[in-house]
Amino acid sequence: QVQLQESGPGLVKPSETLSLTCSVSGGSISSYYWTWIRQPPGKGLEWIGYIYYTGSTNYNPSLKSRLTMSVDTSKNQFSLNLNTVTAADRAVYYCAGQAPNSNWFDPWGQGTLVTVSS
Amino acid sequence: QSVLTQPPSVSGAPGQRVTISCTGSSSNIGAGYDVHWYRQLPGTAPKLLIYHDTNRPSGVPDRFSGSKSGTSASLAITGLQAEDEADYYCQSFDSSLTGYVFGSGTKVTVL
């Protein structure tokens, strides 16, 4: 059973870059489209984008200009970089898997809260 | 605001049936894209509850059922239990936004 675990700084300064990594265990990095989803405290879910093990990406147009995703198949990890962050980027960030030929998200990581503050 | 609209809250007594609506438009649900549902217990990550409009993953009780018609979808919970208190989100794809979209979320309260 595939399990996901997010890691990264819980505090980022305004205008700097938010960087998170998701570690995949119990399955192959080539098995899913690897997705990031975020949730501001007390609010709803927002799809950020996904990366496939080939490096192919699909980003939310509203975040695309600030977003970079990467995958490290040797480490079974994928990463998210969101630059020029503001307080509006404060959220719980989840990594999740999207099986090929599906358009739902399962499994999910436990999530990690990122706060933007000086 | 969310592309898919859900009621902020629904409630029911134990054993009752509640339904949660998810209203979209011609660029998402109305275009025929699948609707999926997630349950989020307090302080935890969302978990897939219904996929491809009506299908339950292994382990999800048959008290949960999904349906879709036109530009809307619905999640029904029958035999409401205290453990069903959670936030529920619908999700689909939007061709205008060229990305995945979630509903605004519905909090289910068991009276």
Side-chain angles (χ1 to χ4, degrees), chain B residues 51-67:
Chain B
Y51 67 95
H52 203 334
D53 302 335
T54 60
N55 296 275
R56 288 185 306 276
S58 174
V60 173
D62 60 6
R63 302 188 295 106
F64 296 90
S65 62
S67 63

Side-chain angles (χ1 to χ4, degrees), chain A residues 35-55:
Chain A
T35 298
W36 291 96
I37 294 161
R38 69 180 182 178
Q39 184 175 35
K43 297 191 177 181
L45 300 161
E46 180 182 30
W47 174 75
I48 297 172
Y50 69 65
I51 186 165
Y52 198 40
Y53 77 100
T54 58

Side-chain angles (χ1 to χ4, degrees), chain A residues 37 39 43-47 50 58-61 94 98 102-106 108-111, chain B residues 33-34 36 38 40 44-48 51-52 89 91 93 97-104:
Chain A
I37 294 161
Q39 184 175 35
K43 297 191 177 181
L45 300 161
E46 180 182 30
W47 174 75
Y50 69 65
N58 185 13
Y59 297 157
N60 185 325
Y94 296 100
Q98 177 189 345
S102 80
N103 47 21
W104 60 86
F105 308 115
D106 181 52
W108 294 61
Q110 66 183 27
Chain B
Y33 292 107
D34 293 345
H36 320 293
Y38 302 85
Q40 185 176 33
T44 69
K47 187 173 182 181
L48 184 67
Y51 67 95
H52 203 334
Y89 293 90
Q91 176 249 314
F93 180 84
L97 299 175
T98 60
Y100 297 99
V101 291
F102 287 92
S104 43

Side-chain angles (χ1 to χ4, degrees), chain A residues 2-8 20-26 34-36 75-79 93-97 107-113:
Chain A
V2 175
Q3 293 187 309
L4 306 176
Q5 178 67 58
E6 303 89 349
S7 60
L20 295 174
T21 295
C22 184
S23 298
V24 180
S25 60
W34 299 109
T35 298
W36 291 96
K75 294 182 178 179
N76 256 27
Q77 293 178 336
F78 61 100
S79 297
Y93 286 75
Y94 296 100
C95 57
W108 294 61
Q110 66 183 27
T112 187
L113 175 63

Side-chain angles (χ1 to χ4, degrees), chain B residues 3-5 22-32 35 68-73:
Chain B
V3 171
L4 305 178
T5 301
C22 174
T23 303
S25 67
S26 58
S27 61
N28 41 69
I29 299 175
V35 177
K68 187 176 79 175
S69 178
T71 58
S72 295

